[in-house]
Amino acid sequence: MPPRTLVIASLALCALRLWIAASAGFTDDESYYRLWGLGPALSYLDHPPMAGWMIWLGQHIAGDTTLGVRFVAVLAPLAGTLLTWRTAGLLFGPVIATRACWIGLAIPLLAVGGVIMTPDTPSVLFWGLTSWAVAELWRGGRADWWLAVGLFAGLGLISKYTNLFAGAGIVLWLLGSGQLWRHIRSWQLWAGGAIALACTVPVIVWNQAHHWASFTKQFGRVAAGHELTLRYLGELLGAMVGLLSPAIAILAGIGIWAAVTVARKDRQSAEFLLLASLLPFALYLLVHSLHNRVQPNWPAPIYPALGLLAALGVSRMPAAFGVHGVRLRRMALPLGFAFTGLLYLNVLRPIVHLSDEKDPTGQMQGWADFGRAVEAHRLAAGAQWIATSSYATTGQLAFREPAAVPVLQLNERIRYVNMPAPNPALLQTPGLYVELARRADLALLQQHFRSVTRLETLSRYSDGVPISGYVLYRVADPVGPVLDPIE
């Protein structure tokens, strides 16, 4: 078992995160994913279904609240710490394992992921479970571990499409280490592959029924983008340094160098296995960044491995670093926890007040008062329902409006095929359109309604500081179907 102090620290952080999860407002994406939990389905437009299923579970445990939506996300890091300790122990021994767990607790991105609920939560969890099963296979050589590898990899595939790269890393390890032919003769490897494929059936069935919409949306990103540029690569590297924290990022770099040095000479080593598991996804992120932006959360599944590499960097730091290496080791955890503390504080008591375009935590602030203001305008306008044209506004207002008041996005209706169809008679009554000023779509309103009357601009505030402006229109007298058809 992990050391007692590590267990106590993990439980204390879990308690803190439970409080933050219950106290902080939703991010835009979370408010949208909440609707998945209310209508669990085989899959969804944006991602496979696991996040929606986890939200559904949390809502049944802690209610349709911020804590309920996030409940599994808060508990997942406890399993993550155990997985890191066991996996790192199998690969490099108990000292590096314990150090890797402490570093993992201090990584800001993983700390944020321990509060908010997104598809990254199950993605990181099942990537970690897959890595653990592979480490058990590497250490003990028992072919039965392929069954566990297949199960966890398959559950990862219905968490986020990113987890395809976990499988690619396993294939790279087998090919590069020369162990492919030994393992390919075992029935367990093929059975594990069959289990992984069986797990993906819900996603395939949903996509087949909806013109392969999710596959088209997500895999279309590979080719989409701009001309070749280094701009986004700089953004990617800067974001990773910040979300690892600078000291941990430097230690991870040292660990990568040390691992490469060993892996070049010994392809049966733990270092080669670790690097092979990261390389396919790292190469994808690099290629994508050369023509389009990589969102800061995309590399989340490899952050635990980067924490392990940072622990390796501490143990194998070259003597030439001297006193600077000592200082780097000493400041890694305090700096990581300090970055994390500032992020948590900025969510609960904003230090700066920026628009949600510049600060994602701005998405979490001011919604209670804004929701009450929207409801007052709805009643004053005689509107029976709320219209929007973005999933973010739809999700946030759906959580704040009374349950009897539908909040409906006029376009992109495929996002809501898992939800009950709205009452057609209600849609013939006046509605209140609410949308971010920068996203407002007057042409869409004029396409659907003969009467479109602008009311005013309403701001959402954080501690009295306006952070986002919304436009309000009263819409009535529909022209044909009120909602765009599901495509």
Side-chain angles (χ1 to χ4, degrees):
M1 285 292 294
R4 181 180 300 178
T5 52
L6 179 60
V7 173
I8 293 172
S10 298
L11 292 173
L13 281 172
C14 182
L16 173 63
R17 290 166 179 167
L18 282 169
W19 175 61
I20 296 173
S23 305
F26 286 129
T27 65
D28 288 346
D29 284 354
E30 278 185 299
S31 69
Y32 169 53
Y33 300 144
R34 165 186 167 264
L35 301 177
W36 294 3
L38 297 178
L42 292 179
S43 195
Y44 306 93
L45 172 66
D46 305 87
H47 295 287
M50 185 61 74
W53 297 349
M54 287 184 169
I55 291 170
W56 174 86
L57 176 62
Q59 287 169 325
H60 279 72
I61 294 172
D64 184 21
T65 62
T66 54
L67 178 59
V69 169
R70 295 165 169 162
F71 190 75
V72 176
V74 177
L75 297 184
L78 292 177
T81 298
L82 286 174
L83 287 171
T84 297
W85 186 81
R86 177 61 178 171
T87 304
L90 289 167
L91 297 178
F92 300 107
V95 174
I96 290 179
T98 301
R99 189 171 289 142
C101 289
W102 279 108
I103 290 174
L105 294 178
I107 292 176
L109 179 73
L110 297 180
V112 171
V115 173
I116 66 173
M117 182 63 180
T118 72
D120 291 314
T121 298
S123 173
V124 172
L125 175 62
F126 289 113
W127 192 303
L129 283 164
T130 304
S131 299
W132 162 61
V134 172
E136 295 280 5
L137 175 68
W138 175 84
R139 172 59 68 183
R142 287 186 57 193
D144 288 345
W145 279 105
W146 280 120
L147 304 178
V149 171
L151 175 62
F152 297 140
L155 294 175
L157 288 174
I158 60 170
S159 299
K160 199 171 182 180
Y161 297 123
T162 296
N163 285 55
L164 282 167
F165 292 102
I170 295 171
V171 172
L172 180 61
W173 167 61
L174 290 175
L175 290 172
S177 64
Q179 299 190 46
L180 177 63
W181 295 112
R182 177 168 69 88
H183 285 284
I184 207 170
R185 291 192 295 268
S186 66
W187 67 266
Q188 292 95 329
L189 181 145
W190 297 101
I195 292 171
L197 288 175
C199 288
T200 66
V201 168
V203 178
I204 295 172
V205 169
W206 187 93
N207 272 275
Q208 191 277 332
H210 296 92
H211 309 290
W212 310 103
S214 182
F215 290 165
T216 301
K217 174 180 170 62
Q218 293 296 341
F219 294 108
R221 289 176 171 174
V222 176
H226 311 285
E227 296 180 353
L228 288 178
T229 175
L230 294 179
R231 170 191 171 190
Y232 301 117
L233 176 60
E235 288 185 7
L236 170 62
L237 295 177
M240 292 190 70
V241 168
L243 292 173
L244 277 168
S245 88
I248 293 175
I250 294 172
L251 289 173
I254 296 171
I256 291 171
W257 180 262
V260 168
T261 301
V262 173
R264 288 174 59 189
K265 300 175 182 177
D266 182 5
R267 294 189 177 184
Q268 308 302 316
S269 64
E271 287 84 353
F272 183 83
L273 171 58
L274 180 58
L275 292 175
S277 70
L278 298 177
L279 188 58
F281 190 32
L283 286 176
Y284 167 73
L285 294 173
L286 172 62
V287 171
H288 190 94
S289 71
L290 295 178
H291 64 87
N292 210 338
R293 177 171 284 110
V294 173
Q295 297 301 322
N297 62 297
W298 288 5
I302 63 174
Y303 272 67
L306 292 174
L308 173 52
L309 285 164
L312 198 64
V314 171
S315 299
R316 301 183 185 177
M317 184 175 295
F321 277 75
V323 67
H324 300 293
V326 174
R327 291 173 179 169
L328 185 62
R329 289 194 295 265
R330 289 177 177 174
M331 69 187 299
L333 292 184
L335 190 59
F337 283 122
F339 273 44
T340 297
L342 287 174
L343 286 172
Y344 285 167
L345 180 61
N346 198 56
V347 167
L348 297 173
R349 299 288 298 179
I351 303 168
V352 293
H353 302 278
L354 300 174
S355 71
D356 49 19
E357 284 185 284
K358 298 180 179 179
D359 177 11
T361 62
Q363 299 174 6
M364 308 169 76
Q365 298 158 10
W367 282 103
D369 290 340
F370 183 78
R372 286 189 287 268
V374 167
E375 178 61 9
H377 281 83
R378 183 189 69 82
L379 294 172
Q384 303 300 306
W385 58 285
I386 302 291
T388 71
S389 55
S390 73
Y391 74 82
T393 305
T394 303
Q396 294 283 15
L397 288 180
F399 185 63
R400 297 297 174 180
E401 283 293 309
V405 181
V407 179
L408 303 172
Q409 185 175 341
L410 300 175
N411 53 355
E412 298 183 331
R413 293 302 304 167
I414 194 172
R415 293 184 181 277
Y416 309 101
V417 293
N418 60 304
M419 305 297 293
N423 185 346
L426 180 69
L427 298 182
Q428 300 304 307
T429 64
L432 179 69
Y433 174 78
V434 183
E435 194 51 81
L436 272 170
R438 68 178 185 268
R439 292 180 185 154
D441 192 342
L442 182 58
L444 178 68
L445 299 183
Q446 293 171 337
Q447 174 186 340
H448 286 282
F449 303 95
R450 294 186 181 89
S451 175
V452 179
T453 305
R454 178 158 183 163
L455 301 179
E456 63 176 279
T457 299
L458 189 64
S459 292
R460 180 163 54 87
Y461 294 86
S462 174
D463 288 344
V465 179
I467 54 176
S468 291
Y470 295 76
V471 294
L472 276 62
Y473 286 85
R474 184 182 187 275
V475 293
D477 195 6
V479 179
V482 172
L483 306 177
D484 283 350
I486 295 174
E487 297 178 355

